[in-house]
Short mmCIF file of all heavy atoms in Angstrom, two decimals:
data_model
loop_
_atom_site.label_atom_id
_atom_site.label_comp_id
_atom_site.label_asym_id
_atom_site.label_seq_id
_atom_site.Cartn_x
_atom_site.Cartn_y
_atom_site.Cartn_z
N MET A 69 118.83 137.69 96.01
CA MET A 69 117.73 138.64 95.80
C MET A 69 118.25 140.06 95.73
O MET A 69 117.75 140.89 94.96
CB MET A 69 116.70 138.53 96.92
CG MET A 69 115.96 137.21 96.95
SD MET A 69 114.93 137.00 95.51
CE MET A 69 113.58 138.06 95.98
N GLY A 73 118.43 142.81 92.46
CA GLY A 73 117.74 144.09 92.62
C GLY A 73 116.29 143.93 93.03
O GLY A 73 115.47 144.82 92.84
N LEU A 74 115.97 142.79 93.61
CA LEU A 74 114.59 142.52 94.02
C LEU A 74 114.38 142.80 95.49
O LEU A 74 113.26 142.81 95.99
CB LEU A 74 114.23 141.06 93.71
CG LEU A 74 114.20 140.71 92.22
CD1 LEU A 74 114.13 139.21 92.02
CD2 LEU A 74 113.01 141.40 91.54
N PRO A 92 115.04 146.19 89.94
CA PRO A 92 115.31 144.89 89.31
C PRO A 92 116.28 145.01 88.15
O PRO A 92 116.13 145.88 87.29
CB PRO A 92 113.93 144.45 88.82
CG PRO A 92 112.97 145.21 89.62
CD PRO A 92 113.62 146.51 89.98
N TYR A 93 117.30 144.16 88.14
CA TYR A 93 118.21 144.09 87.01
C TYR A 93 117.62 143.09 86.03
O TYR A 93 117.24 142.00 86.40
CB TYR A 93 119.59 143.63 87.49
CG TYR A 93 120.60 143.51 86.37
CD1 TYR A 93 121.12 144.65 85.78
CD2 TYR A 93 121.01 142.27 85.89
CE1 TYR A 93 122.04 144.55 84.74
CE2 TYR A 93 121.92 142.17 84.86
CZ TYR A 93 122.43 143.32 84.28
OH TYR A 93 123.32 143.22 83.26
N THR A 94 117.50 143.49 84.75
CA THR A 94 116.66 142.69 83.86
C THR A 94 117.42 141.87 82.81
O THR A 94 116.83 140.99 82.20
CB THR A 94 115.63 143.58 83.12
OG1 THR A 94 116.33 144.56 82.38
CG2 THR A 94 114.69 144.24 84.10
N VAL A 96 118.95 139.29 82.86
CA VAL A 96 119.26 138.23 83.81
C VAL A 96 118.28 137.08 83.65
O VAL A 96 117.15 137.27 83.20
CB VAL A 96 119.19 138.81 85.25
CG1 VAL A 96 117.77 139.13 85.64
CG2 VAL A 96 119.81 137.87 86.25
N VAL A 98 116.76 134.19 86.22
CA VAL A 98 116.76 133.82 87.63
C VAL A 98 116.06 132.48 87.82
O VAL A 98 114.98 132.25 87.29
CB VAL A 98 116.04 134.88 88.49
CG1 VAL A 98 116.20 134.56 89.97
CG2 VAL A 98 116.56 136.27 88.19
N PHE A 100 114.62 130.57 90.98
CA PHE A 100 114.38 130.72 92.41
C PHE A 100 114.41 129.36 93.10
O PHE A 100 114.27 128.32 92.47
CB PHE A 100 113.03 131.39 92.66
CG PHE A 100 112.99 132.82 92.22
CD1 PHE A 100 112.57 133.15 90.94
CD2 PHE A 100 113.37 133.83 93.07
CE1 PHE A 100 112.55 134.46 90.52
CE2 PHE A 100 113.34 135.16 92.67
CZ PHE A 100 112.93 135.47 91.39
N ARG A 102 112.23 128.09 95.11
CA ARG A 102 110.96 127.45 94.76
C ARG A 102 110.77 127.69 93.27
O ARG A 102 111.12 128.75 92.76
CB ARG A 102 109.82 128.07 95.55
CG ARG A 102 109.89 127.69 97.02
CD ARG A 102 108.55 127.89 97.68
NE ARG A 102 108.40 129.24 98.19
CZ ARG A 102 107.28 129.72 98.71
NH1 ARG A 102 106.22 128.96 98.74
NH2 ARG A 102 107.23 130.94 99.16
N ALA A 104 108.49 128.55 91.24
CA ALA A 104 107.77 129.75 90.77
C ALA A 104 107.15 129.57 89.39
O ALA A 104 107.15 130.48 88.58
CB ALA A 104 108.69 130.98 90.79
N LEU A 105 106.61 128.38 89.13
CA LEU A 105 105.89 128.18 87.87
C LEU A 105 104.47 128.73 88.03
O LEU A 105 103.91 128.72 89.12
CB LEU A 105 105.82 126.70 87.51
CG LEU A 105 107.15 126.00 87.22
CD1 LEU A 105 106.89 124.57 86.75
CD2 LEU A 105 107.94 126.75 86.18
N LEU A 106 103.90 129.21 86.93
CA LEU A 106 102.53 129.69 86.95
C LEU A 106 101.62 128.51 86.62
O LEU A 106 101.71 127.93 85.53
CB LEU A 106 102.34 130.83 85.96
CG LEU A 106 103.30 132.02 86.18
CD1 LEU A 106 103.00 133.15 85.21
CD2 LEU A 106 103.24 132.52 87.61
N GLU A 107 100.74 128.16 87.55
CA GLU A 107 99.94 126.94 87.45
C GLU A 107 99.00 126.96 86.25
O GLU A 107 98.55 125.92 85.80
CB GLU A 107 99.13 126.72 88.72
CG GLU A 107 99.96 126.54 89.98
CD GLU A 107 100.78 125.27 89.96
OE1 GLU A 107 100.34 124.27 89.35
OE2 GLU A 107 101.89 125.27 90.53
N TRP A 108 98.64 128.16 85.79
CA TRP A 108 97.64 128.26 84.72
C TRP A 108 98.29 128.27 83.35
O TRP A 108 97.60 128.39 82.35
CB TRP A 108 96.78 129.51 84.92
CG TRP A 108 97.60 130.74 85.15
CD1 TRP A 108 98.04 131.61 84.21
CD2 TRP A 108 98.08 131.22 86.41
NE1 TRP A 108 98.78 132.60 84.80
CE2 TRP A 108 98.81 132.39 86.15
CE3 TRP A 108 97.96 130.78 87.73
CZ2 TRP A 108 99.43 133.13 87.16
CZ3 TRP A 108 98.57 131.51 88.73
CH2 TRP A 108 99.29 132.66 88.45
N ARG A 109 99.59 128.17 83.29
CA ARG A 109 100.27 128.13 82.00
C ARG A 109 100.86 126.75 81.77
O ARG A 109 101.36 126.13 82.72
CB ARG A 109 101.40 129.17 81.97
CG ARG A 109 100.90 130.59 81.83
CD ARG A 109 102.05 131.57 81.77
NE ARG A 109 101.63 132.78 81.11
CZ ARG A 109 102.18 133.28 80.01
NH1 ARG A 109 103.22 132.69 79.46
NH2 ARG A 109 101.71 134.38 79.47
N LEU A 117 106.96 132.70 79.10
CA LEU A 117 106.57 133.86 79.91
C LEU A 117 107.66 134.93 79.80
O LEU A 117 107.38 136.13 79.67
CB LEU A 117 106.39 133.45 81.37
CG LEU A 117 106.07 134.61 82.33
CD1 LEU A 117 104.62 135.03 82.15
CD2 LEU A 117 106.32 134.22 83.78
N GLN A 118 108.89 134.46 79.85
CA GLN A 118 110.05 135.34 79.71
C GLN A 118 109.93 136.21 78.45
O GLN A 118 110.24 137.40 78.47
CB GLN A 118 111.28 134.42 79.61
CG GLN A 118 112.60 135.07 79.68
CD GLN A 118 112.99 135.44 81.09
OE1 GLN A 118 112.90 136.60 81.47
NE2 GLN A 118 113.41 134.47 81.87
N ASP A 120 107.03 136.74 76.66
CA ASP A 120 105.80 137.55 76.70
C ASP A 120 106.00 138.83 77.51
O ASP A 120 105.65 139.91 77.07
CB ASP A 120 104.65 136.73 77.33
CG ASP A 120 104.23 135.58 76.42
OD1 ASP A 120 104.60 135.60 75.24
OD2 ASP A 120 103.54 134.67 76.91
N VAL A 121 106.58 138.68 78.70
CA VAL A 121 106.73 139.85 79.57
C VAL A 121 107.68 140.87 78.94
O VAL A 121 107.48 142.07 79.04
CB VAL A 121 107.22 139.44 80.98
CG1 VAL A 121 107.54 140.66 81.82
CG2 VAL A 121 106.18 138.59 81.66
N ARG A 122 108.69 140.37 78.25
CA ARG A 122 109.65 141.28 77.62
C ARG A 122 109.16 141.82 76.29
O ARG A 122 109.87 142.53 75.59
CB ARG A 122 110.98 140.55 77.40
CG ARG A 122 111.71 140.24 78.69
CD ARG A 122 112.94 139.38 78.45
NE ARG A 122 113.45 138.89 79.70
CZ ARG A 122 114.30 139.56 80.48
NH1 ARG A 122 114.73 140.74 80.09
NH2 ARG A 122 114.70 139.06 81.63
N ARG A 123 107.94 141.43 75.91
CA ARG A 123 107.34 141.88 74.65
C ARG A 123 108.22 141.54 73.44
O ARG A 123 108.38 142.35 72.53
CB ARG A 123 107.05 143.38 74.68
CG ARG A 123 106.14 143.81 75.82
CD ARG A 123 105.85 145.28 75.72
NE ARG A 123 105.44 145.85 76.99
CZ ARG A 123 104.23 145.73 77.52
NH1 ARG A 123 103.30 145.06 76.88
NH2 ARG A 123 103.95 146.28 78.69
N GLU A 138 113.71 119.80 75.50
CA GLU A 138 114.17 118.47 75.14
C GLU A 138 115.50 118.17 75.82
O GLU A 138 115.74 117.09 76.33
CB GLU A 138 114.31 118.36 73.62
CG GLU A 138 114.65 116.95 73.20
CD GLU A 138 114.75 116.78 71.71
OE1 GLU A 138 114.34 117.69 70.97
OE2 GLU A 138 115.25 115.72 71.30
N ALA A 143 110.89 116.62 76.70
CA ALA A 143 110.22 116.53 75.41
C ALA A 143 108.92 115.77 75.59
O ALA A 143 108.86 114.78 76.31
CB ALA A 143 111.12 115.82 74.40
N GLY A 144 107.85 116.25 74.97
CA GLY A 144 106.56 115.59 75.10
C GLY A 144 105.71 116.17 76.22
O GLY A 144 104.52 115.89 76.31
N PHE A 145 106.30 116.99 77.06
CA PHE A 145 105.55 117.58 78.16
C PHE A 145 105.23 119.05 77.92
O PHE A 145 104.76 119.74 78.82
CB PHE A 145 106.32 117.43 79.48
CG PHE A 145 106.28 116.03 80.01
CD1 PHE A 145 107.29 115.14 79.70
CD2 PHE A 145 105.23 115.60 80.80
CE1 PHE A 145 107.26 113.84 80.18
CE2 PHE A 145 105.19 114.31 81.29
CZ PHE A 145 106.20 113.42 80.97
N GLU A 146 105.47 119.53 76.70
CA GLU A 146 105.32 120.96 76.43
C GLU A 146 103.91 121.45 76.74
O GLU A 146 103.72 122.57 77.20
CB GLU A 146 105.64 121.27 74.96
CG GLU A 146 107.10 121.04 74.58
CD GLU A 146 107.38 119.60 74.17
OE1 GLU A 146 106.45 118.76 74.23
OE2 GLU A 146 108.52 119.30 73.78
N LYS A 147 102.91 120.59 76.48
CA LYS A 147 101.53 121.04 76.65
C LYS A 147 100.96 120.62 78.01
O LYS A 147 99.78 120.82 78.28
CB LYS A 147 100.66 120.47 75.53
CG LYS A 147 101.03 120.98 74.13
CD LYS A 147 100.57 122.42 73.95
CE LYS A 147 100.84 122.98 72.56
NZ LYS A 147 102.24 123.03 72.16
N SER A 148 101.79 120.03 78.86
CA SER A 148 101.32 119.64 80.19
C SER A 148 101.27 120.86 81.10
O SER A 148 101.95 121.85 80.86
CB SER A 148 102.26 118.60 80.80
OG SER A 148 102.35 117.47 79.99
N TYR A 149 100.48 120.73 82.17
CA TYR A 149 100.44 121.79 83.17
C TYR A 149 101.39 121.44 84.32
O TYR A 149 101.67 120.25 84.55
CB TYR A 149 99.01 121.98 83.68
CG TYR A 149 98.17 122.75 82.69
CD1 TYR A 149 97.49 122.11 81.67
CD2 TYR A 149 98.12 124.14 82.75
CE1 TYR A 149 96.75 122.83 80.74
CE2 TYR A 149 97.39 124.87 81.83
CZ TYR A 149 96.71 124.22 80.82
OH TYR A 149 96.01 124.93 79.91
N TRP A 151 101.11 121.06 87.41
CA TRP A 151 100.67 120.09 88.41
C TRP A 151 100.76 118.66 87.91
O TRP A 151 100.61 117.72 88.68
CB TRP A 151 99.26 120.41 88.92
CG TRP A 151 98.22 120.63 87.86
CD1 TRP A 151 97.90 121.80 87.26
CD2 TRP A 151 97.36 119.65 87.26
NE1 TRP A 151 96.90 121.63 86.35
CE2 TRP A 151 96.54 120.32 86.32
CE3 TRP A 151 97.18 118.27 87.45
CZ2 TRP A 151 95.57 119.66 85.57
CZ3 TRP A 151 96.21 117.62 86.68
CH2 TRP A 151 95.43 118.31 85.77
N GLU A 152 101.01 118.49 86.62
CA GLU A 152 101.18 117.13 86.10
C GLU A 152 102.64 116.69 86.16
O GLU A 152 102.97 115.60 85.71
CB GLU A 152 100.68 117.06 84.65
CG GLU A 152 99.20 117.39 84.52
CD GLU A 152 98.76 117.52 83.06
OE1 GLU A 152 99.04 118.56 82.45
OE2 GLU A 152 98.14 116.58 82.57
N ARG A 165 113.26 128.39 81.56
CA ARG A 165 112.71 129.75 81.54
C ARG A 165 113.81 130.79 81.80
O ARG A 165 113.75 131.90 81.28
CB ARG A 165 111.61 129.86 82.61
CG ARG A 165 110.89 131.18 82.62
CD ARG A 165 109.81 131.20 83.69
NE ARG A 165 110.37 130.87 84.99
CZ ARG A 165 109.64 130.56 86.06
NH1 ARG A 165 108.33 130.52 85.97
NH2 ARG A 165 110.21 130.28 87.20
N MET B 1 107.38 112.02 69.97
CA MET B 1 107.24 112.34 71.40
C MET B 1 107.82 111.23 72.26
O MET B 1 107.58 110.06 72.03
CB MET B 1 105.76 112.51 71.75
CG MET B 1 105.13 113.69 71.04
SD MET B 1 104.25 114.66 72.24
CE MET B 1 103.48 115.86 71.19
N HIS B 2 108.55 111.61 73.27
CA HIS B 2 109.18 110.63 74.13
C HIS B 2 108.18 109.94 75.04
O HIS B 2 108.27 108.77 75.31
CB HIS B 2 110.25 111.30 74.99
CG HIS B 2 111.47 111.64 74.20
ND1 HIS B 2 112.72 111.71 74.75
CD2 HIS B 2 111.62 111.92 72.89
CE1 HIS B 2 113.60 112.03 73.81
NE2 HIS B 2 112.95 112.17 72.69
N SER B 3 107.27 110.72 75.54
CA SER B 3 106.42 110.18 76.59
C SER B 3 104.96 110.26 76.18
O SER B 3 104.37 111.32 76.21
CB SER B 3 106.62 110.96 77.87
OG SER B 3 106.64 112.32 77.54
N THR B 5 102.48 109.38 77.70
CA THR B 5 101.59 109.65 78.82
C THR B 5 101.28 111.13 78.97
O THR B 5 100.31 111.51 79.59
CB THR B 5 102.20 109.17 80.14
OG1 THR B 5 103.54 109.67 80.19
CG2 THR B 5 102.20 107.67 80.23
N ALA B 6 102.13 111.97 78.37
CA ALA B 6 102.02 113.40 78.65
C ALA B 6 100.68 113.99 78.24
O ALA B 6 100.17 114.86 78.92
CB ALA B 6 103.15 114.14 77.95
N ASN B 7 100.11 113.50 77.13
CA ASN B 7 98.93 114.17 76.63
C ASN B 7 97.65 113.34 76.72
O ASN B 7 96.62 113.73 76.21
CB ASN B 7 99.16 114.62 75.19
CG ASN B 7 100.23 115.69 75.13
OD1 ASN B 7 100.23 116.60 75.95
ND2 ASN B 7 101.15 115.56 74.20
N VAL B 8 97.73 112.21 77.35
CA VAL B 8 96.52 111.39 77.47
C VAL B 8 95.77 111.81 78.73
O VAL B 8 96.28 111.68 79.83
CB VAL B 8 96.88 109.90 77.58
CG1 VAL B 8 95.63 109.06 77.72
CG2 VAL B 8 97.68 109.46 76.37
N GLN B 159 102.33 133.86 95.15
CA GLN B 159 103.63 133.48 95.72
C GLN B 159 104.63 134.61 95.40
O GLN B 159 104.76 135.01 94.25
CB GLN B 159 104.08 132.19 95.04
CG GLN B 159 105.16 131.45 95.74
CD GLN B 159 105.74 130.36 94.85
OE1 GLN B 159 105.06 129.78 94.01
NE2 GLN B 159 107.01 130.11 95.02
N PRO B 160 105.34 135.13 96.41
CA PRO B 160 106.24 136.27 96.18
C PRO B 160 107.24 136.02 95.04
O PRO B 160 107.51 136.92 94.25
CB PRO B 160 106.98 136.43 97.50
CG PRO B 160 106.12 135.78 98.52
CD PRO B 160 105.33 134.72 97.82
N GLU B 161 107.73 134.78 94.93
CA GLU B 161 108.71 134.49 93.88
C GLU B 161 108.15 134.74 92.49
O GLU B 161 108.88 135.15 91.59
CB GLU B 161 109.18 133.03 93.96
CG GLU B 161 110.21 132.77 95.04
CD GLU B 161 109.57 132.40 96.36
OE1 GLU B 161 108.35 132.69 96.54
OE2 GLU B 161 110.25 131.83 97.21
N THR B 162 106.85 134.45 92.30
CA THR B 162 106.29 134.65 90.96
C THR B 162 106.25 136.13 90.62
O THR B 162 106.43 136.51 89.47
CB THR B 162 104.87 134.03 90.85
OG1 THR B 162 104.05 134.60 91.85
CG2 THR B 162 104.92 132.53 90.99
N ILE B 163 106.02 136.96 91.62
CA ILE B 163 106.02 138.41 91.39
C ILE B 163 107.44 138.89 91.12
O ILE B 163 107.69 139.65 90.18
CB ILE B 163 105.40 139.14 92.60
CG1 ILE B 163 103.92 138.76 92.71
CG2 ILE B 163 105.57 140.65 92.46
CD1 ILE B 163 103.24 139.27 93.94
N HIS B 164 108.38 138.41 91.93
CA HIS B 164 109.79 138.75 91.71
C HIS B 164 110.23 138.36 90.31
O HIS B 164 110.96 139.09 89.63
CB HIS B 164 110.67 138.05 92.73
CG HIS B 164 110.58 138.65 94.09
ND1 HIS B 164 110.58 137.91 95.25
CD2 HIS B 164 110.48 139.94 94.48
CE1 HIS B 164 110.48 138.72 96.28
NE2 HIS B 164 110.42 139.95 95.84
N LEU B 165 109.77 137.20 89.90
CA LEU B 165 110.15 136.68 88.58
C LEU B 165 109.77 137.66 87.47
O LEU B 165 110.59 138.03 86.64
CB LEU B 165 109.43 135.35 88.37
CG LEU B 165 109.66 134.67 87.03
CD1 LEU B 165 111.02 134.02 87.04
CD2 LEU B 165 108.58 133.65 86.77
N VAL B 166 108.51 138.09 87.48
CA VAL B 166 108.04 138.99 86.43
C VAL B 166 108.77 140.33 86.51
O VAL B 166 109.11 140.94 85.50
CB VAL B 166 106.51 139.18 86.52
CG1 VAL B 166 106.03 140.25 85.55
CG2 VAL B 166 105.80 137.87 86.21
N ARG B 167 109.07 140.77 87.73
CA ARG B 167 109.80 142.04 87.86
C ARG B 167 111.23 141.90 87.32
O ARG B 167 111.75 142.82 86.71
CB ARG B 167 109.81 142.49 89.31
CG ARG B 167 108.39 142.68 89.86
CD ARG B 167 108.22 143.94 90.63
NE ARG B 167 109.18 144.05 91.71
CZ ARG B 167 109.91 145.12 91.96
NH1 ARG B 167 109.80 146.18 91.19
NH2 ARG B 167 110.74 145.13 92.97
N SER B 168 111.84 140.74 87.51
CA SER B 168 113.20 140.57 86.99
C SER B 168 113.20 140.43 85.47
O SER B 168 114.25 140.49 84.84
CB SER B 168 113.88 139.36 87.63
OG SER B 168 113.49 138.18 86.97
N MET B 169 112.02 140.23 84.88
CA MET B 169 111.91 140.23 83.42
C MET B 169 111.62 141.64 82.92
O MET B 169 111.30 141.83 81.75
CB MET B 169 110.76 139.31 82.98
CG MET B 169 110.97 137.85 83.31
SD MET B 169 109.45 136.92 83.01
CE MET B 169 110.01 135.26 83.36
N GLY B 170 111.67 142.61 83.82
CA GLY B 170 111.39 143.98 83.44
C GLY B 170 109.90 144.28 83.41
O GLY B 170 109.47 145.29 82.85
N GLY B 171 109.10 143.41 84.01
CA GLY B 171 107.65 143.59 83.99
C GLY B 171 107.21 144.78 84.84
O GLY B 171 107.76 145.02 85.91
N SER B 172 106.20 145.51 84.33
CA SER B 172 105.64 146.63 85.08
C SER B 172 104.64 146.11 86.10
O SER B 172 104.30 144.93 86.11
CB SER B 172 104.92 147.57 84.11
OG SER B 172 103.85 146.86 83.50
N GLN B 175 101.86 144.54 84.36
CA GLN B 175 102.16 143.19 83.87
C GLN B 175 102.14 142.18 85.01
O GLN B 175 101.69 141.06 84.83
CB GLN B 175 103.51 143.18 83.17
CG GLN B 175 103.45 143.70 81.74
CD GLN B 175 104.81 143.73 81.09
OE1 GLN B 175 105.75 144.31 81.61
NE2 GLN B 175 104.94 143.07 79.96
N TRP B 178 98.51 141.34 85.39
CA TRP B 178 97.90 140.50 84.37
C TRP B 178 98.53 139.13 84.26
O TRP B 178 97.86 138.15 83.97
CB TRP B 178 97.93 141.18 82.99
CG TRP B 178 96.87 142.20 82.87
CD1 TRP B 178 97.04 143.54 82.67
CD2 TRP B 178 95.45 142.00 83.00
NE1 TRP B 178 95.81 144.17 82.66
CE2 TRP B 178 94.83 143.26 82.85
CE3 TRP B 178 94.64 140.88 83.22
CZ2 TRP B 178 93.45 143.42 82.92
CZ3 TRP B 178 93.26 141.04 83.29
CH2 TRP B 178 92.68 142.31 83.14
N TYR B 179 99.83 139.03 84.47
CA TYR B 179 100.49 137.74 84.30
C TYR B 179 100.44 136.89 85.58
O TYR B 179 100.48 135.68 85.51
CB TYR B 179 101.94 137.93 83.87
CG TYR B 179 102.08 138.27 82.41
CD1 TYR B 179 102.47 139.54 82.01
CD2 TYR B 179 101.80 137.32 81.42
CE1 TYR B 179 102.59 139.87 80.67
CE2 TYR B 179 101.91 137.64 80.07
CZ TYR B 179 102.31 138.91 79.71
OH TYR B 179 102.41 139.22 78.38
N VAL B 180 100.39 137.53 86.74
CA VAL B 180 100.48 136.76 87.98
C VAL B 180 99.28 136.97 88.91
O VAL B 180 98.54 136.04 89.20
CB VAL B 180 101.77 137.11 88.75
CG1 VAL B 180 101.80 136.40 90.08
CG2 VAL B 180 102.99 136.75 87.92
N ARG B 181 99.09 138.20 89.35
CA ARG B 181 98.15 138.42 90.44
C ARG B 181 96.72 138.04 90.06
O ARG B 181 96.05 137.33 90.80
CB ARG B 181 98.17 139.89 90.86
CG ARG B 181 99.32 140.21 91.78
CD ARG B 181 98.90 141.34 92.72
NE ARG B 181 99.45 141.13 94.04
CZ ARG B 181 100.40 141.88 94.55
NH1 ARG B 181 100.92 142.85 93.86
NH2 ARG B 181 100.83 141.63 95.76
N PRO B 183 95.36 136.15 87.39
CA PRO B 183 95.07 134.72 87.18
C PRO B 183 95.17 133.92 88.47
O PRO B 183 94.36 133.02 88.71
CB PRO B 183 96.13 134.26 86.17
CG PRO B 183 96.94 135.44 85.82
CD PRO B 183 96.44 136.64 86.53
N ASN B 184 96.12 134.28 89.31
CA ASN B 184 96.28 133.58 90.57
C ASN B 184 95.06 133.78 91.49
O ASN B 184 94.74 132.92 92.30
CB ASN B 184 97.55 134.07 91.28
CG ASN B 184 97.79 133.34 92.57
OD1 ASN B 184 98.15 132.19 92.57
ND2 ASN B 184 97.54 134.01 93.68
N ARG B 259 90.39 125.82 84.88
CA ARG B 259 90.49 124.37 84.81
C ARG B 259 91.84 123.86 85.30
O ARG B 259 92.02 122.69 85.58
CB ARG B 259 90.20 123.87 83.40
CG ARG B 259 91.00 124.52 82.32
CD ARG B 259 90.41 124.15 80.96
NE ARG B 259 91.12 124.77 79.87
CZ ARG B 259 91.00 126.05 79.53
NH1 ARG B 259 90.16 126.82 80.21
NH2 ARG B 259 91.69 126.57 78.55
N TRP B 260 92.82 124.79 85.45
CA TRP B 260 94.13 124.40 85.94
C TRP B 260 94.14 124.23 87.46
O TRP B 260 95.06 123.67 88.02
CB TRP B 260 95.17 125.45 85.56
CG TRP B 260 94.71 126.84 85.87
CD1 TRP B 260 94.01 127.67 85.05
CD2 TRP B 260 94.89 127.54 87.10
NE1 TRP B 260 93.74 128.85 85.70
CE2 TRP B 260 94.27 128.80 86.96
CE3 TRP B 260 95.51 127.23 88.32
CZ2 TRP B 260 94.26 129.75 87.97
CZ3 TRP B 260 95.50 128.18 89.32
CH2 TRP B 260 94.87 129.43 89.14
N HIS B 261 93.11 124.73 88.13
CA HIS B 261 93.18 124.77 89.59
C HIS B 261 92.82 123.43 90.22
O HIS B 261 92.06 122.66 89.66
CB HIS B 261 92.25 125.86 90.12
CG HIS B 261 92.46 126.16 91.57
ND1 HIS B 261 91.55 125.85 92.53
CD2 HIS B 261 93.51 126.71 92.22
CE1 HIS B 261 92.01 126.20 93.72
NE2 HIS B 261 93.20 126.73 93.55
N ARG B 265 90.30 119.89 89.03
CA ARG B 265 90.90 118.66 88.51
C ARG B 265 90.02 117.49 88.89
O ARG B 265 90.02 117.05 90.03
CB ARG B 265 92.30 118.47 89.09
CG ARG B 265 93.28 119.46 88.54
CD ARG B 265 94.59 119.36 89.27
NE ARG B 265 95.21 120.67 89.35
CZ ARG B 265 96.11 121.00 90.24
NH1 ARG B 265 96.49 120.13 91.15
NH2 ARG B 265 96.63 122.19 90.25
N GLU B 268 91.27 114.19 90.83
CA GLU B 268 91.48 114.20 92.27
C GLU B 268 90.21 114.53 93.02
O GLU B 268 89.97 114.04 94.11
CB GLU B 268 92.56 115.23 92.63
CG GLU B 268 93.94 114.72 92.35
CD GLU B 268 94.95 115.85 92.33
OE1 GLU B 268 95.33 116.28 93.41
OE2 GLU B 268 95.30 116.29 91.23
#
Side-chain angles (χ1 to χ4, degrees):
Chain A
M69 294 294 283
L74 294 168
Y93 179 72
T94 59
V96 70
V98 187
F100 292 92
R102 289 200 272 174
L105 296 185
L106 304 183
E107 298 294 328
W108 50 91
R109 286 181 156 239
L117 177 76
Q118 190 78 257
D120 292 344
V121 173
R122 291 173 191 274
R123 302 184 202 282
E138 186 178 348
F145 286 93
E146 294 86 357
K147 295 286 183 299
S148 302
Y149 282 88
W151 51 270
E152 298 172 283
R165 184 179 55 193
Chain B
M1 295 229 185
H2 286 208
S3 44
T5 49
N7 293 317
V8 180
Q159 197 193 329
E161 281 90 341
T162 56
I163 294 173
H164 286 141
L165 178 77
V166 173
R167 301 225 305 132
S168 82
M169 296 170 176
S172 62
Q175 279 178 306
W178 281 118
Y179 282 109
V180 175
R181 280 211 142 110
N184 182 71
R259 52 192 179 284
W260 48 271
H261 192 249
R265 289 172 213 158
E268 282 163 79

